[in-house]
Amino acid sequence: MNKTFRLAALLCAMPISMALAQQAAMKGRVVDTQGHPLIGATVKVKGSAAGPSAVLDNGEFSLNVKNGDTIIVTMLGYAQREVVYQGQASLAIVLEGSATNIEEVVVVGYGTQKKVNLTGAVSIIESGQLERRPNLSTSSALQGLAPGVTVTSQTGAPGGDGGQIRIRGINSFGGSDSSPLVIIDGVAGSIDNIDYNLIESISVLKDAASSAIYGSRAANGVILITTKRGKDKLAIDYKGYIGMQDPTAIPKVADGLTYMRMFNEANRNDGNQPTYTDEAMEEYRKLYAADPDNFDWQKAILKGSGFTQNHFLSLSANSGIIRVAPSFGYSTQDGLIKNTGFKRYVFRNNMDITPSDKFSVRMDLSVTNKNRKQIAGEGTIWNYLGRMPTDLPIRHPNGLWAEGWVKNNPVAQIEEGGNNNTNNLEFIGNLSLNYKPTEWLSLLGTIAPRYLTRNTHQFTKMVEVYDVNGASAGSANTTTDLTERSYRQYFGSYFVTATADRSYGDHSFKMMVGTSRESFNEKFLMGYRRDFMYDTYEVLNAGADNATKNNGSTIDEWLLISQFGRLNYSFKDRYLFEANIRHDGSSRFVKNNRWSTFPSFSAGWRLSEEPFMESLKGAVNQLKLRGSWGKLGNQNIGDSYYPFASQLALGSISMGGQLYPLVSQNEMANERLVWESTTMSGAGLDAVLFKNFSLTFDWYSKTTNGILLKLDIPAVHGLPGPFQNAGKVQNKGWELAVRYDKKFGDFKLGLGGNIADVKNKILDMSNTTMGTFLRQQTGYSINSIYGYVADGYYQDADEIKNGPAQFGTLQPGDIRYKDIAGGFDGAGNPIPDGKINESDKLIIGNTIPRYTYGVNLDLSYKGLRLNAFVQGVAKADGYLSSHYVVPLAMASAVKEWQTDYWTVDNPDAALPRLSHSSTNNTQNSTFWMRSAAYLRLKNIQLGYEIPQHLLAKLKLNGLFVYVNGQNLFTKTNFYKGYDPEINYNAGASEGVSLGDGNFYPQVKVYTFGVDFKF
């Protein structure tokens, strides 16, 4: 056994020994034009199979070279330098600063390209931009970083704070998915399942020219994530932070006496007697004075610690043939309410094996385990945060739970009402073999399985509440029940590519062809029981074994087979051309409609390389014009993996006292369904001026055809109409990104900004409409708001008498609506008909932000760094209704701003008269709509890089300490106490949920972090 062990150890050490046996390494140093050491540059020998050598924090490096070798030095923000080695004992290599690097390589579909040769619209997000914004959800960290990429986050819930991503508008509705395709190291995955510390760079493919290589899944854009890989030098890094969270906005409520007075006034306005007598109000005064916390529902609900932490440890090592980069991440978030939280464990190892200059292997493994804990019925808790009447106690003097409202005591639910736990365990493997038979040809084969299990445990307990005398008042939950759900998903990804790269004089060609097979299989299993004898034993067998129990299972799968190719041509690196094509076959459609082809073409002209621009080289360092056209697809249509088929409903029926199995068809099918197709064209400009200023501008237009709609069919068919490819949507817009970087001695300044504009319009719905409040209607944008136009208040009885008939019994102080009758005269003026009804409703708002923007400031002086990021949207509408904004609706607590209501003495109030029964004032209208535009200080970080000479004794290569704040300030005209992003709901069918405010709030996060380099 010992001999075997020694032999294995010897074999493992052989690659290291071979590497050490080579000649002594040459020492060198990388500096800028002023002699300051540069940190983060990479150095390699041209044509060598070995990877690059990382430069240490003092600018030094070591490299194995021989006479005549060409040493290449690159660094982001500096021009590439090539130096021929001629036996020097050491080298000092000077890099000249530049706003862009002509040799900078960016990741594109199935390959890489030089940034200057790109002809498509691609936004690059570097790892440093993410690391300055410590977010557990990577999707949220993208907010505001790239023009044309809209990220909205409805909530800051632990484990649920992921953002909804839309690239260049929204293409579809009716249940089709508008989310972009996310590719992680060549494999489709979830953006929120990867720790931001693992990310090297993100490429956002926004137009058809860059996205068409992904064909039927690219209509909504593509996000390519590249993870960090092993470096040449042994390195150990630790990054970690701890912090606290607070809500950005909470609806502040008025005291109990204010509530009682307003409640009584609403009674009088409705012709009823006051509910609260003077004696009752006096009794409340005494109880409140004795224990004010017993009436502070918000303080009692928000008892969670809000503590958050993230720890990330990575290793990079190289034996000469094998490079490895194992890492481990651990993150937790405690909720703002007790018994809620999130934990995540991430392990990843990226391995590169290069036995020769012709053959290389990549072996990557990733394991992610996520646990999210919620309160059972957590939405109810947030619903009551600003709703609980403030005259009601939390507990009675005897310690028993008080009744709350309609037997709902949210504090009791938090403490004893059960839990909703979700566990996600994901395994991803990636084995890639690369063979280069010649210098110009590369063959790549990849096998990438992905396995995901998701288990949910939903246990709801019956929490008994009591009246003031100690008698049981019942429970909001009438039973104690448990639902267990299990999902097992397997994704198979296999692809082979061949890439040829040749140059002939001034002509350069690069061609890639490939084929892929991608599959998906999901098994679902659930079980349900209720009436638990022991409500602390949370297993199914503890529930009642009677007719109330339930179970079920399903299985779903799909298959996608594709062939694809790309051709790049350049003449003198001046005139650029690219063509992409993909041929997809999807099991989601019937045989005759299964295959489709998605082409794209783009071209670029680097004007800065023209001879006539030579005299402007000092001012115009780079100038490129781009143009593109292409066709993309979306196979994620409808709510089924089989949209062409009618799914049969399985059940049972009772006949003659016996149960018989029943199979029924409840919907019609349409075998002619095909995927949605998006045609996109665009033009762009890239420029670098005076070496320090860069600019990118894009204009685009894209039209999506074949959106799924259910059109009316004759009732004789007896079933609802099937989906048909009948809708058409257009998005038009422009994007601008600018950046200025300048160094003044030890002081560095970086200032960047981006802004994007998108106009969304439904062009065709085959003479139908969808939605009564969240509206889809031809001529307007997707997810428009539909309602009446408010026109002030009725001030007296004469106005009511002379006005149109409205809703219920009108009184002075009620909202007046415009009578437009749904018709207009020749001059475009509304024609009143004397009544307010459905015909008077209009599109009154747009939930899609017209403008999105972000501004980033980077300052540094020696080791001191300050980074600030501002993000926002403009021209967007939001809406709240019911008790969230209507005073006393459902007898809810009064918000502080709701005390400004109409009376005879206050005719210009912010809100209408108080009422419990008015149906007029609660109609969906412009009165309750607000601007959802906002400006937010998204992130600010102040840090200090400890000088190297102070770390020498500690054997550290670097130490950075910082404090960070997120969402610290928000400027908005939306409702007080509610975040302007609240209406964006990634879980809703259309991505928007209007009217409600029962969501975990956005959070401010204050963190302290360190970054060690060993």
Side-chain angles (χ1 to χ4, degrees):
M1 186 70 176
N2 290 334
K3 291 181 178 180
T4 303
F5 177 78
R6 289 195 209 101
L7 179 59
L10 180 61
L11 291 173
C12 293
M14 283 180 65
I16 301 175
S17 301
M18 292 170 62
L20 294 176
Q22 297 179 15
Q23 65 185 57
M26 183 271 295
K27 303 291 185 179
R29 196 162 184 256
V30 181
V31 296
D32 62 17
T33 54
Q34 297 181 342
H36 298 110
L38 293 177
I39 302 169
T42 56
V43 186
K44 71 173 295 182
V45 176
K46 190 173 185 178
S48 172
S53 174
V55 177
L56 300 180
D57 290 347
N58 57 4
E60 295 179 353
F61 68 90
S62 62
L63 195 67
N64 291 322
V65 291
K66 61 181 183 294
N67 284 341
D69 282 347
T70 298
I71 301 172
I72 301 175
V73 184
T74 59
M75 183 173 178
L76 185 64
Y78 292 83
Q80 176 177 297
R81 181 83 186 277
E82 293 189 6
V83 178
V84 178
Y85 178 68
Q86 297 178 340
Q88 301 98 318
S90 63
L91 277 176
I93 301 176
V94 180
L95 296 187
E96 184 176 344
S98 173
T100 187
N101 188 344
I102 194 171
E103 298 296 325
E104 184 180 349
V105 172
V106 299
V107 176
V108 294
Y110 300 100
T112 59
Q113 287 187 29
K114 289 183 179 179
K115 185 176 181 180
V116 294
N117 288 344
L118 284 176
T119 53
V122 180
S123 289
I124 310 301
I125 300 169
E126 302 292 345
S127 59
Q129 294 173 272
L130 301 174
E131 291 171 358
R132 290 193 292 268
R133 301 174 60 182
N135 287 78
L136 291 189
S137 294
T138 302
S139 57
S140 296
L142 296 183
Q143 194 172 43
L145 293 183
V149 180
T150 303
V151 182
T152 51
S153 300
Q154 182 189 60
T155 170
D161 56 351
Q164 178 195 76
I165 303 175
R166 296 292 182 261
I167 298 177
R168 290 187 167 179
I170 300 177
N171 295 338
S172 187
F173 57 92
S176 297
D177 191 0
S178 293
S179 301
L181 173 67
V182 177
I183 303 291
I184 304 172
D185 285 340
V187 183
S190 169
I191 191 171
D192 285 327
N193 276 4
I194 185 166
D195 193 310
Y196 71 89
N197 289 295
L198 286 166
I199 296 175
E200 183 71 34
S201 67
I202 296 177
S203 297
V204 183
L205 313 184
K206 298 186 288 188
D207 67 346
S210 57
S211 302
I213 198 69
Y214 290 103
S216 65
R217 297 178 295 167
N220 301 308
V222 181
I223 296 176
L224 304 179
I225 297 177
T226 303
T227 61
K228 296 175 182 177
R229 310 199 69 80
K231 307 298 182 183
D232 277 356
K233 189 175 180 63
L234 177 65
I236 301 175
D237 285 1
Y238 166 79
K239 298 177 181 180
Y241 66 78
I242 58 174
M244 302 298 296
Q245 303 169 88
D246 285 325
T248 58
I250 288 293
K252 300 297 184 182
V253 294
D255 61 81
L257 288 176
T258 300
Y259 170 80
M260 292 176 176
R261 285 193 294 266
M262 290 177 62
F263 201 95
N264 284 346
E265 185 170 344
N267 281 346
R268 287 190 289 268
N269 289 342
D270 293 338
N272 300 317
Q273 293 298 313
T275 298
Y276 298 98
T277 64
D278 291 341
E279 293 76 15
M281 297 174 73
E282 182 59 33
E283 178 65 19
Y284 166 77
R285 284 193 187 92
K286 295 178 181 178
L287 292 173
Y288 182 82
D291 187 4
D293 283 348
N294 198 36
F295 296 89
D296 192 338
W297 289 93
Q298 293 189 353
K299 182 178 179 180
I301 289 172
L302 300 175
K303 281 289 185 69
S305 70
F307 177 76
T308 182
Q309 61 179 328
N310 186 30
H311 307 279
F312 183 80
L313 182 66
S314 63
L315 167 70
S316 179
N318 179 20
S319 69
I321 294 179
I322 301 176
R323 280 187 295 154
V324 295
S327 62
F328 176 75
Y330 171 68
S331 310
T332 71
Q333 280 182 311
D334 291 339
L336 299 177
I337 59 177
K338 294 171 63 175
N339 299 323
T340 63
F342 175 72
K343 287 185 180 180
R344 183 179 68 189
Y345 306 85
V346 178
F347 170 78
R348 187 178 184 94
N349 183 38
N350 289 351
M351 178 184 294
D352 297 274
I353 306 173
T354 312
S356 71
D357 58 357
K358 292 183 178 293
F359 187 71
S360 63
V361 181
R362 291 176 58 170
M363 298 176 61
D364 300 344
L365 174 66
S366 173
V367 181
T368 302
N369 185 37
K370 301 192 300 184
N371 290 288
R372 183 183 182 189
K373 183 178 182 181
Q374 298 173 269
I375 298 298
E378 189 172 302
T380 301
I381 305 299
W382 297 113
N383 182 33
Y384 279 94
L385 182 68
R387 180 181 176 185
M388 284 302 299
T390 47
D391 67 314
L392 298 179
I394 299 169
R395 288 182 182 269
H396 293 306
N398 56 14
L400 297 176
W401 292 117
E403 299 96 318
W405 184 246
V406 196
K407 304 176 186 178
N408 275 296
N409 185 320
V411 181
Q413 290 294 321
I414 292 171
E415 297 284 352
E416 303 176 11
N419 58 82
N420 187 358
N421 295 331
T422 302
N423 172 260
N424 285 273
L425 181 60
E426 182 182 57
F427 298 85
I428 301 177
N430 190 333
L431 174 63
S432 297
L433 308 178
N434 193 323
Y435 176 59
K436 291 177 66 80
T438 67
E439 183 66 27
W440 55 270
L441 179 63
S442 178
L443 306 176
L444 175 67
T446 297
I447 301 173
R450 176 185 170 206
Y451 179 74
L452 172 69
T453 66
R454 183 168 78 252
N455 296 286
T456 65
H457 171 94
Q458 187 174 346
F459 187 62
T460 304
K461 292 174 62 175
M462 184 174 65
V463 180
E464 201 162 11
V465 294
Y466 301 87
D467 64 23
V468 69
N469 298 316
S472 174
S475 173
N477 299 321
T478 57
T479 64
T480 295
D481 56 66
L482 172 64
T483 303
E484 299 275 11
R485 297 182 179 89
S486 176
Y487 303 80
R488 286 189 282 180
Q489 300 175 346
Y490 177 79
F491 301 80
S493 182
Y494 317 88
F495 62 87
V496 178
T497 63
T499 303
D501 192 347
R502 294 297 301 267
S503 295
Y504 303 94
D506 293 330
H507 304 273
S508 297
F509 297 88
K510 187 175 183 179
M511 177 179 288
M512 183 274 295
V513 294
T515 183
S516 66
R517 182 184 190 275
E518 297 173 72
S519 62
F520 170 78
N521 178 279
E522 178 186 71
K523 293 182 178 180
F524 166 72
L525 180 67
M526 66 80 65
Y528 168 83
R529 287 199 184 184
R530 70 181 217 189
D531 301 328
F532 280 63
M533 184 173 295
Y534 302 103
D535 62 6
T536 58
Y537 191 38
E538 300 180 22
V539 298
L540 287 174
N541 280 352
D545 187 10
N546 56 31
T548 63
K549 68 180 182 181
N550 193 14
N551 58 67
S553 67
T554 61
I555 184 170
D556 293 290
E557 56 187 357
W558 55 257
L559 177 66
L560 181 69
I561 297 177
S562 311
Q563 298 86 42
F564 47 87
R566 176 172 55 231
L567 171 66
N568 293 94
Y569 167 74
S570 71
F571 177 65
K572 292 186 177 181
D573 270 345
R574 188 184 305 165
Y575 309 108
L576 313 171
F577 174 78
E578 178 176 315
N580 291 272
I581 191 168
R582 184 167 178 126
H583 189 55
D584 277 341
S586 173
S587 64
R588 298 190 182 199
F589 308 98
V590 297
K591 184 177 181 181
N592 293 338
N593 298 330
R594 185 158 293 162
W595 293 90
S596 190
T597 301
F598 304 93
S600 76
F601 305 94
S602 59
W605 178 22
R606 295 181 64 197
L607 280 79
S608 54
E609 306 307 303
E610 295 286 0
F612 61 77
M613 294 288 291
E614 188 65 31
S615 62
L616 299 176
K617 274 292 185 182
V620 182
N621 312 114
Q622 285 197 48
L623 180 61
K624 179 174 63 178
L625 299 179
R626 298 177 279 105
S628 66
W629 175 92
K631 182 181 178 182
L632 307 169
N634 181 15
Q635 69 161 354
N636 298 325
I637 60 176
D639 55 1
S640 165
Y641 294 127
Y642 321 102
F644 62 87
S646 174
Q647 298 190 48
L648 299 178
L650 306 178
S652 59
I653 188 172
S654 176
M655 298 177 61
Q658 297 291 324
L659 284 177
Y660 297 92
L662 176 68
V663 179
S664 61
Q665 180 180 351
N666 297 330
E667 59 185 10
M668 297 186 68
N670 180 6
E671 293 186 352
R672 298 181 181 180
L673 282 183
V674 296
W675 32 41
E676 298 171 353
S677 63
T678 297
T679 303
M680 185 186 304
S681 58
L685 178 148
D686 301 318
V688 177
L689 309 176
F690 305 104
K691 296 184 180 180
N692 303 111
F693 181 79
S694 61
L695 177 148
T696 297
F697 177 82
D698 278 279
W699 171 90
Y700 65 90
S701 175
K702 63 177 179 177
T703 302
T704 301
N705 284 284
I707 295 172
L708 296 191
L709 298 177
K710 284 191 175 182
L711 305 181
D712 293 334
I713 62 172
V716 69
H717 290 283
L719 291 173
F723 279 113
Q724 300 181 47
N725 296 107
K728 187 176 182 179
V729 168
Q730 181 186 72
N731 288 277
K732 281 187 175 182
W734 54 265
E735 303 160 357
L736 175 65
V738 295
R739 177 77 186 180
Y740 178 79
D741 289 278
K742 185 70 175 178
K743 186 173 182 180
F744 307 90
D746 291 327
F747 179 77
K748 292 181 182 179
L749 167 67
L751 180 63
N754 67 79
I755 185 171
D757 171 28
V758 60
K759 297 178 182 178
N760 179 273
K761 181 188 289 187
I762 299 175
L763 299 181
D764 188 14
M765 289 185 64
S766 298
N767 298 316
T768 65
T769 59
M770 293 173 55
T772 58
F773 183 23
L774 189 64
R775 187 80 161 183
Q776 319 300 342
Q777 182 172 317
T778 301
Y780 298 91
S781 67
I782 293 174
N783 296 336
S784 292
I785 304 175
Y786 189 65
Y788 297 106
V789 179
D791 189 26
Y793 302 126
Y794 286 112
Q795 297 293 351
D796 53 46
D798 288 339
E799 284 190 15
I800 296 173
K801 180 180 178 180
N802 297 325
Q806 293 193 178
F807 306 93
T809 302
L810 296 178
Q811 293 186 28
D814 283 337
I815 300 171
R816 180 175 56 220
Y817 302 111
K818 285 190 176 181
D819 181 6
I820 61 174
F824 298 86
D825 62 21
N829 300 312
I831 305 173
D833 63 355
K835 57 185 177 182
I836 301 296
N837 53 30
E838 286 292 315
S839 299
D840 297 289
K841 286 185 176 180
L842 296 173
I843 298 292
I844 58 175
N846 180 9
T847 62
I848 298 177
R850 173 73 185 273
Y851 299 102
T852 57
Y853 59 89
V855 179
N856 195 84
L857 174 66
D858 301 307
L859 300 174
S860 68
Y861 178 74
K862 295 185 177 180
L864 191 65
R865 302 180 200 168
L866 174 66
N867 307 104
F869 181 68
V870 173
Q871 173 266 334
V873 305
K875 281 197 172 182
D877 296 309
Y879 198 99
L880 287 178
S881 59
S882 186
H883 61 86
Y884 303 105
V885 290
V886 181
L888 299 171
M890 302 182 184
S892 297
V894 174
K895 283 75 172 177
E896 290 180 346
W897 54 269
Q898 290 178 329
T899 57
D900 182 15
Y901 52 88
W902 188 96
T903 64
V904 173
D905 299 323
N906 189 23
D908 298 321
L911 297 172
R913 70 179 178 93
L914 298 178
S915 173
H916 297 302
S917 60
S918 172
T919 57
N920 182 80
N921 296 336
T922 57
Q923 300 295 314
N924 295 328
S925 73
T926 57
F927 187 91
W928 302 110
M929 189 173 70
R930 292 290 186 275
S931 170
Y934 66 89
L935 170 69
R936 197 188 314 267
L937 178 58
K938 196 66 183 177
N939 193 82
I940 186 168
Q941 183 180 99
L942 178 64
Y944 184 66
E945 185 83 36
I946 307 299
Q948 187 65 40
H949 69 273
L950 298 178
L951 302 176
K953 294 182 180 180
L954 300 176
K955 306 298 182 183
L956 291 176
N957 289 326
L959 173 58
F960 180 66
V961 296
Y962 64 87
V963 290
N964 194 94
Q966 295 184 63
N967 300 329
L968 299 187
F969 169 80
T970 302
K971 174 65 175 177
T972 182
N973 290 325
F974 198 61
Y975 284 105
K976 292 182 180 179
Y978 297 97
D979 194 275
E981 292 185 85
I982 200 169
N983 287 147
Y984 299 98
N985 184 0
S989 61
E990 301 299 338
V992 175
S993 178
L994 288 180
D996 295 334
N998 57 329
F999 305 107
Y1000 194 110
Q1002 288 260 28
V1003 292
K1004 301 177 183 179
V1005 187
Y1006 311 88
T1007 54
F1008 168 78
V1010 295
D1011 182 355
F1012 288 99
K1013 289 181 172 58
F1014 298 92

